[in-house]
Amino acid sequence: WFGILIRSMAAARRIGMLLCRELLSLSIREIGTAFGDRDSSTVVSALARARADLTDDAAVAERVTRLRQLLPVMAPSQR
């Protein structure tokens, strides 16, 4: 039960990091700080895994596409 919850939370965190990178143009360091002081290598790994999930899992790709449509895009100068 907890294993499923932890994996689900980790997947959501990876997608959140990816959206922060793509939509907000946050740096790796800024993303790490925003997600609980994660190390830069952890963020880079999470971004790579999230991109792989988009390629390998149609359901994930569909959810991320929907999130991109729903989230307002903020230019870096507006942060």
Side-chain angles (χ1 to χ4, degrees):
W1 193 110
F2 286 112
I4 293 169
L5 178 62
I6 290 170
R7 281 192 300 275
S8 177
M9 289 173 51
R13 184 172 36 248
R14 287 192 301 269
I15 296 304
M17 289 180 178
L18 180 69
L19 292 172
C20 285
R21 183 72 168 165
E22 292 180 355
L23 298 179
L24 301 176
S25 301
L26 294 182
S27 70
I28 299 297
R29 183 171 298 211
E30 288 172 314
I31 294 169
T33 300
F35 283 85
D37 262 351
R38 302 277 191 235
D39 186 75
S40 294
S41 63
T42 301
V43 176
V44 170
S45 175
L47 293 173
R49 175 102 185 256
R51 289 181 183 115
D53 289 346
L54 290 177
T55 303
D56 299 340
D57 189 333
V60 170
E62 185 178 329
R63 283 191 296 261
V64 171
T65 297
R66 183 74 178 128
L67 285 170
R68 286 178 179 138
Q69 293 168 348
L70 292 172
L71 293 173
V73 177
M74 240 171 128
S77 62
Q78 295 176 325
R79 292 190 270 146

